[in-house]
Amino acid sequence: MQDPEQGLFSIVHISAEQSEDLEQLGTKPKFWFRHNKQRTLFKAENRGTGEDWAEIIAGEICDAIGLPHVSYQLAHETQNDLPGVICVNLAAKPLTLVLGNQLMLEADSTYPANTEQNYGVREHTVNAVAEVVKKLAPPPPDLCWQPTLKCHTAVDVFVGYVLLDTLIANQDRHHQNWGALRHETTWLAPTFDHGAGLARNEPDEKRARRLRSANRSAEMSAFARRAASGFYGSVSDRKTLRSLACFHAWQAIRPMAADHWLERLNGISAYDFERIIDRVPASRMTPLAKEFTLELLTINQDRLLRHGSSPP
């Protein structure tokens, strides 16, 4: 939501006194409350790692690309002086949110769906997830996402989620950070929970060192290439795939969908990224973080567009 005078994202002020109940999933303070008559979740950003602005920027990029996504707003919880974000309940009744680990377990009774383990699950492979997603209906069309001839199945849309992860260096697409909505039918849920992206927890000292390096381009490119995905190539792999390699693996499954998302990404300019980043208030994001984030996005966009057809 834009402030008409400053062009900044507005901040919704709320109080913990409005809390209806706590949200147990995850590690950050969270609670549910009513906002504009809708059940809404507040997620605190109490560690100063930038998860709030990363979530907001990722959502704006989803809008620009045309990906179905959960919409977030910056928020401030006044009773405990906590910055954070809010989002409307994704699965309002009669809908049920079924997370990826449960969907995987429904497809394979041996899948390790233990909710205490999100990382290091080697069965969370590209092919295994793709087989599960193929059984889902695509998200219903909305103002952001519209099906096309190239992109109309749930797997097609999921390829877009993976492209987003590569673009924003989101390494957190584990089996509880994607899912489906269920009511009579089961369809792929909009993408959500991107607060781990954009290298938001890099300290400004390291950002400055990379940005002020004599070989800035090489330093930043090397940093971008290190980003991992949340998917394994096979159950025998010791590490998850690098983000771009993961996109290529999904691209091999649905090449036309990958073309669709690459075309949408090609329509975004560096200036578009800059305008989104500049709307984050200075109280939430430092100038160095803004400069670094813009550089990271433009590098990853270039990597995707240059190497979109075949691995580098």
Side-chain angles (χ1 to χ4, degrees):
M1 182 180 294
Q2 189 174 3
D3 184 311
E5 293 184 359
Q6 301 182 33
L8 300 177
F9 294 113
S10 62
I11 300 174
V12 179
H13 294 273
I14 61 173
S15 170
E17 295 177 348
Q18 300 171 250
S19 173
E20 294 183 345
D21 58 81
L22 299 178
E23 170 59 56
Q24 300 301 323
L25 192 64
T27 59
K28 298 178 290 297
K30 304 175 186 178
F31 62 81
W32 291 95
F33 70 105
R34 290 283 164 181
H35 181 65
N36 295 333
K37 300 181 179 180
Q38 293 180 297
R39 184 168 165 82
T40 302
L41 179 67
F42 169 75
K43 296 197 300 183
E45 208 300 71
N46 61 328
R47 296 176 293 186
T49 58
E51 292 178 59
D52 50 352
W53 56 256
E55 197 76 82
I56 297 299
I57 292 172
E60 292 292 309
I61 291 173
C62 286
D63 281 337
I65 296 176
L67 280 171
H69 67 98
V70 173
S71 294
Y72 295 85
Q73 288 180 268
L74 291 175
H76 189 90
E77 195 279 295
T78 56
Q79 185 176 21
N80 299 291
D81 192 25
L82 289 175
V85 295
I86 60 172
C87 64
V88 173
N89 184 14
L90 174 61
K93 293 182 179 179
L95 299 178
T96 301
L97 175 62
V98 186
L99 294 174
N101 60 330
Q102 185 60 40
L103 292 169
M104 299 293 283
L105 183 63
E106 290 176 4
D108 177 2
S109 61
T110 67
Y111 184 82
N114 183 354
T115 56
E116 297 301 316
Q117 182 182 1
N118 290 331
Y119 304 98
V121 180
R122 297 184 185 184
E123 292 81 357
H124 193 244
T125 65
V126 170
N127 287 334
V129 173
E131 287 303 311
V132 169
V133 175
K134 284 177 183 177
K135 300 174 184 177
L136 305 177
D142 57 27
L143 293 177
C144 181
W145 140 253
Q146 292 291 326
T148 68
L149 289 175
K150 286 186 175 182
C151 181
H152 56 274
T153 71
V155 179
D156 294 341
V157 176
F158 205 96
V159 173
Y161 296 174
V162 178
L163 176 138
L164 173 72
D165 292 342
T166 306
L167 177 66
I168 68 172
N170 177 28
Q171 305 180 85
D172 205 34
R173 184 77 64 180
H174 57 68
H175 63 190
Q176 289 201 70
N177 273 353
W178 62 273
L181 295 173
R182 180 171 287 165
H183 175 60
E184 297 180 349
T185 188
T186 305
W187 60 89
L188 180 65
T191 184
F192 58 86
D193 210 350
H194 314 103
L198 297 170
R200 45 77 181 165
N201 59 345
E202 281 289 291
D204 268 358
E205 311 87 79
K206 289 187 177 180
R207 291 186 180 116
R209 188 168 67 245
R210 293 189 176 100
L211 290 170
R212 307 297 179 248
S213 167
N215 199 347
R216 168 175 173 156
S217 178
E219 281 271 350
M220 289 296 299
S221 295
F223 177 79
R225 287 195 300 271
R226 289 200 294 271
S229 73
F231 300 89
Y232 287 82
S234 73
V235 294
S236 61
D237 290 349
R238 297 181 61 186
K239 295 181 179 180
T240 58
L241 294 167
R242 296 291 186 187
S243 60
L244 187 58
C246 183
F247 174 72
H248 287 137
W250 283 92
Q251 181 182 45
I253 295 171
R254 296 292 292 178
M256 289 183 66
D259 287 347
H260 167 83
W261 296 115
L262 288 167
E263 288 167 6
R264 296 303 303 260
L265 178 62
N266 193 41
I268 302 175
S269 68
Y271 178 63
D272 294 327
F273 288 136
E274 186 175 14
R275 284 193 304 173
I276 293 171
I277 295 166
D278 281 346
R279 291 176 60 196
V280 179
S283 60
R284 296 294 183 97
M285 191 177 188
T286 67
L288 261 175
K290 291 187 176 187
E291 183 182 356
F292 187 90
T293 300
L294 177 60
E295 184 87 356
L296 183 63
L297 284 170
T298 53
I299 286 172
N300 282 337
Q301 181 188 36
D302 181 65
R303 292 173 67 226
L304 279 160
L305 295 177
R306 281 194 300 115
H307 303 300
S309 299
S310 59

